[in-house]
Amino acid sequence: MYEDKFKQSVQSPGALLPEFQEGDARALVAYLNVLQQVVENGSPIERKNWFPDIEPLFKLLSYENVPPYLKGALRNAIATFVHVSPIMKDTIWRYLEQYDLPVVVGPHAGNTGYAMDTQVYDMRFELNEIEARREKYPSTISFINLLNTLIAEERDASDRGRRFIGIFRFVYDHVFGPFPQRAYADPCEKWQLVVACLKHFQMMLSKYDVGEEDIDAVTDQSQITILGQSSPIHHMQLPVIEVMKDFMSGKTLFRNLMGIILQGVNFLITERTNQIYGQLLESAVLLSLEIIILVMEKDSVVSDFWRPLYQPLDVVLSQDHNQIVVLLEYVRYDFQPQIQLCSVKILSILSSRMVGLSQLLLKSNSAIGLIEDYAACLELRSEECQIIEDSSVDPGVLIMQLLIDNINRPAPNITHLLLKFDVDSPVERTLLQPKFHYSCLKVILDILDKLLKPDVNALLHEFGFQLLYELCVDPLTSAPIMDLLSTKKYHFFVKHLNSVGIAPLPKRTCSQALRISSLHQRAWLMKLLAVELHSAEIADPNHREACQNILSELFGQRNTEYGVDHDASFFITQNETGSISKSKVLELLEIIQFESPDITLKCSQFVSNLKYSSMAEDILTSPTTMGKGVYYHSERGDRLIDLVSFRDKLWQKWNLNNSELNSFGSEIELNAIRDAIQQLLRWGWKYNKNLEEQAAQLHMLTSWSQIVEISASQKISSLENRSDILFQLLDASLNFSGSPDCSLRMAQMLTQVGLTCMAKLRDERFALPSDLTSETITCLHIIMTKQLSNGACQSILFKLILAVLRRESSETLRRRQYALLLSYFQYCRHVLDSDVRTTILEFLSVDEQDNGDLDLEKMDKDQAELAHANFTILRKEEQPILNLVIKDATQGSESVKTMSLYVIDALICVDHEKFFLSQLQSRGFLRSCFLNMSNFSYQDGGFSLDSMHRLCTLEAEFSLLLRICHKYGKSGSQILFSMGSLHHIASCKALHLPMKGSFRRHDTRVEKNSADLDKQQMVVAPILRLLFSLTSLVETSELFEVKNKVVREIVEFIKGHQLLFDQVLQEDISDADELTMELVNHVVGILTKVWPYEESDDYGFVQRLFGMMRSLWSRDPDVFTSIGSARSEIQQKADVSISRLCFSLSSYIYFLVTKKSLRLQIFDHASTATQQPTLASLVFFLGSLATVLDRAAEEKYLLLNKIKDINELSRQEVDEIITMYVSHGYASSSENIQKRRYMAMVGMCKIVGHRSRLIMLLLLLAQNLMNIILAHFNDSNSLKALSDAKEELHSLCGRLIPVLERLELVNEDKTGHNLKVFHRLARSLKEMSIQKLAN
């Protein structure tokens, strides 16, 4: 009715608009209020059909004589229809553009924006001329609220708010800008207007991002709009940019907003309690804080490019410190939790940007109040009774995150301040007293002490443990916090093992969130225990007791007042009922032994329509969206799907794909996409939860592995039954890693734990027992007295094989499993300490054998049974295990190839009846190894990483072939030779790698020539070892057989690699290292075995061997560097190498003398220049050997007596022995006398072992030399030649007789060898020499 009247008046020239009756207006307002209630509370489905035509609600909006309060009621009613349906929302936009006042900008706002200045009647006119005079603003308030409602429902953000520029300028310039200067009849309307404006700004910031495209958005000052004036829209910038520029320059919006905030929290509390508009003021403050947060989240993107006109908001705020203080004090406001949240978020952002924030708060005298406010907020949160599902709105979680994030920032930081560390002095010297100072630390400790409401406070408990862990590992806070937690007041480290650690895990079906948090709580708790065990100062009694208690709780021991109760069971404990229960460390592992939730579930399994599921997959996997909003990182660091962003992008993609449809198309299409999106969101939620639970399970296992590895490697020596403990840990780890519930990453960690336990088991075999009550040391202590039973070893191998053959595997996992398998075989291989020779043990163990304490035969029998049992287990699983290992060795990466070859090497070691060898042959594996050698290639001169990996594989292949030779003897060598091994080795290109200089190892402490070193260690040495092993096929019966194929091929190999052999023979052995000496020994050994077949010496090898003999045999006894002095173990080994080299050379001469009729001259003559050694040089060297032999035997005898009397030596004598014979890295002056006696005994046993080998070689060498001289004396032709040089012969015999007399005096007791044959040979040669001298 009124609309028709108004139309007629407008169409009549000069007619005035009729007055709108007050009664009609009030009645219409009442109707509109009822309509609004009906629509708001109606059924979402049914109300779509209630009011198909809402156009009449718009027709009165453009008339000036309609009362503003009626327009307000109309717009409020219209706003309720926005949520009815997207179609209705678009209809409302269309009607607003058609009927409402011209400030509203639709899709073509840019075309109408400049015309706004010429409008006679628009929103600005109504605001400034009509409502301002009445001091009431219902129309403007409703207008902005309606637009806010419409903008909030917009899903298309592609234009970044460009179509709302006109609306924004109206709100910014005409509503919010001058709002403090306006008069208001009703204070409520003032704050309604402010809230509407702030909501508009907040939406502009939250809906639209600032990106790299906005870097150049700063315009010249001449183009900036002057406040109060209007500019053409094409000169305006995006609303989000305008808001950012305003705040970053401290302009109108910033000043008005801060004017609201700076009234302070106390003013807000008073107004909220006493005034009607208090809630509106509260909303205005909340929106203001949210806007500040949004600006600070975005300003870092452009601040560096907009300087100096625009500064980051924290810089603007810091110009007045009061602004920062007031913002942070809103954490005290507890009427509205959202305001507290905003204040905490602001502190979090400011603390990350402002280095001196804590000093600022201290100077402003607000620090104490802020500390107490945060503590009160945290305490109040812990007393809540309702679960907060969204952690981002949980004030307790935000405070915890704030404290955690600031720990590593420069001191003193906000964490130090809020936890009441001493920020006026060095933080690390703080003495924490939370019981006397109310702070977040006191509240957190109380929360963790009581652990109340675990379902409600799960995250508080979790982040509380995490915070304490982060404090314990921080260099500044570590000492104060660990000292606090280790005190008897808290007993923190152990207390929660029962309350948290081994408590039942919540069911996934009941509360998955609580289950996830519970797993993380246990993980952080175990990390705390690991830190205490690893880093605690044991000298401190509190820490020492804490570590003892932790170990006791974990491994089932009870503590007495002064230590550990040794009568307690260590790993399997008895509970009060008498039944057997597992230790806590195993119970903790059992907690995570459940099947990981499935995160591979595809969204197509939730949505039947393939079109919708593929759309979701495109969004989640598209490179353009992977890191931009679809995913986010949770407070725990998990990469989850942002369900809100996911939903918005699904709608956007749907709109884009269906842009040709009218709006959203038909109602059926709309319902279908809605249902699909709901299903996809359910899938996303389930995916997130499953991913979080899987990460929590992995986190707890990681922490469990850390505490186990630290305990096993560092602290287990303080426990009894260590081998049993390590076995149980190893057994449990293998059990779980082989189960189908164990994921791949978990299996990798469990295998690493197994490696640590296996290594420690190997160490434990020879470690001095810690439970000895006396200081007596016997030979039993160097025997492996803590070997696991054969049954336990078999159990380990069986479960390890099952773990290796698990269904889901990877090369990384198998490398660790192979390493564990190799470690196991090494554990089973030796009963005795590898540094102590069996002959020495037999000499020392006579007393123990007489007393029945030691039965070496039984030990040997047990070892044989274990070896056979290992072989039986492997044979049962030979098909799958060989298939896997051979596949890895032939098709895997270079690193896994290397490990697989060493596993095959280990299988050969335990082989019986050539079972595995025949399997390798039948599968063609050995032939493939030879082909790999022949086809070996390298790039970059062998210096690249890939080439080094291939060299490692090649070295492993050579090691395997050498193992076959050693394991099967001549038959193994014959198999390799028959397969053309020499031909393949000769064609290996690795021998042609570039090499400079000598073979001598370079100093690794400075810089080493890696090519030279790696070639000799990884290629040359293995090839020479293998070649030397093949010389065992050379039979003495075939020495003069021209058709000896083995000799021919080895000789051809030598000729083909003359440069290599020449280079080795040219080495100066006087200062050669161990590897170089090995190479020289192998080369000499090979040549002495096969070169006698070669009639000619065109290659000069014979002369070089002769030259080496002359050089070595003409030296004084000091050629053996360690005799008669305390030298290093390396030099002890060098003596053995030199003696072995001399023995090979003497065997070569003996062979030439006896088989080739070589005859040596007595002395050198100038007329006959030859490299051959002389009989005189042999006699001289024999005299040197007598001296060395006597000294070595005497030293060995003295050491054996010292070993027997080790318990009677004083500490000073023991220290002298350690100084002489034990490496400094293994001996500590702080060890007790018992430990030092043990180290001294082992060190002397090592030296005795080296001396025993040296003595044996010296005896054989001396025997060879005597046989050579004897052969000359016995040969008739040689006798005739010698008789012609009578004087030389007499001189030779005169020198020889004293040497032989000294050799006759060599003592069997001191050498440890039967010398009957040796003495008989010396006497025979002496008698013959006397005869020659007499003639």
Side-chain angles (χ1 to χ4, degrees), residues 766-978:
F766 312 119
L768 179 68
S770 60
D771 54 348
L772 295 181
T773 56
S774 69
E775 297 179 353
T776 302
I777 300 294
T778 69
C779 73
L780 289 172
H781 298 141
I782 58 176
I783 303 175
M784 187 177 55
T785 56
K786 287 168 284 187
Q787 169 84 27
L788 294 177
S789 67
N790 286 358
C793 292
Q794 295 168 37
S795 173
I796 291 174
L797 179 59
F798 179 73
K799 292 176 181 178
L800 180 53
I801 291 175
L802 291 181
V804 171
L805 297 176
R806 57 178 277 130
R807 181 178 57 83
E808 184 185 13
S809 186
S810 68
E811 286 194 353
T812 303
L813 173 60
R814 287 199 300 279
R815 281 201 303 269
R816 296 183 184 183
Q817 290 171 333
Y818 291 160
L820 180 53
L821 188 61
L822 294 173
S823 185
Y824 167 78
F825 285 131
Q826 288 177 345
Y827 178 81
C828 296
R829 192 169 299 168
H830 302 291
V831 176
L832 304 179
D833 190 328
S834 56
D835 293 321
V836 181
R837 296 177 64 83
T838 307
T839 54
I840 302 169
L841 181 65
E842 291 173 350
F843 173 79
L844 296 174
S845 61
V846 175
D847 296 336
E848 282 78 4
Q849 285 182 323
D850 292 341
N851 296 331
D853 296 332
L854 180 63
D855 189 348
L856 294 178
E857 292 184 2
K858 183 179 184 302
M859 290 184 181
D860 292 338
K861 182 180 178 181
D862 289 343
Q863 286 299 109
E865 290 177 355
L866 177 59
H868 189 268
N870 287 340
F871 171 73
T872 303
I873 294 172
L874 290 168
R875 183 165 185 171
K876 288 180 180 179
E877 302 291 338
E878 59 88 13
Q879 190 72 21
I881 198 74
L882 277 180
N883 288 343
L884 180 62
V885 176
I886 290 177
K887 181 181 178 181
D888 281 339
T890 53
Q891 302 177 20
S893 63
E894 293 299 330
S895 57
V896 81
K897 279 182 180 179
T898 304
M899 293 299 298
S900 304
L901 287 164
Y902 284 122
V903 169
I904 297 174
D905 186 314
L907 296 179
I908 293 296
C909 285
V910 300
D911 194 11
H912 287 279
E913 301 175 356
K914 298 183 181 180
F915 174 77
F916 285 118
L917 179 62
S918 61
Q919 289 292 321
L920 296 178
Q921 284 183 279
S922 63
R923 295 166 184 259
F925 178 72
L926 295 180
R927 193 165 299 280
S928 70
C929 287
F930 286 125
L931 291 176
N932 289 338
M933 294 177 186
S934 301
N935 299 329
F936 176 84
S937 62
Y938 57 89
Q939 293 84 26
D940 306 322
F943 295 100
S944 67
L945 184 61
D946 289 341
S947 295
M948 290 304 302
H949 285 162
R950 283 193 290 275
L951 278 177
C952 291
T953 304
L954 185 66
E955 181 187 21
E957 290 174 333
F958 283 128
S959 175
L960 173 61
L961 300 179
L962 186 63
R963 178 68 63 190
I964 291 174
C965 292
H966 287 179
K967 175 69 177 178
Y968 306 109
K970 288 186 178 181
S971 61
S973 300
Q974 184 62 52
I975 290 172
L976 298 183
F977 181 79
S978 64

Side-chain angles (χ1 to χ4, degrees), residues 371-399:
I371 293 171
E372 295 178 353
D373 290 342
Y374 268 83
C377 181
L378 189 59
E379 186 174 20
L380 185 64
R381 164 59 186 87
S382 68
E383 296 171 356
E384 289 285 341
C385 297
Q386 191 169 358
I387 299 176
I388 302 177
E389 296 290 347
D390 187 359
S391 61
S392 64
V393 297
D394 188 333
V397 171
L398 292 181
I399 292 174

Side-chain angles (χ1 to χ4, degrees), residues 977 980 982-983 1044-1054:
F977 181 79
L982 284 174
H983 170 73
N1044 190 326
K1045 186 177 180 182
V1046 177
V1047 174
R1048 281 205 319 271
E1049 290 199 16
I1050 295 178
V1051 168
E1052 288 301 320
F1053 181 91
I1054 295 172

Side-chain angles (χ1 to χ4, degrees), residues 1287-1299:
E1287 293 181 3
E1288 293 183 355
L1289 178 60
H1290 286 177
S1291 176
L1292 177 69
C1293 292
R1295 298 179 184 181
L1296 179 59
I1297 291 171
V1299 173

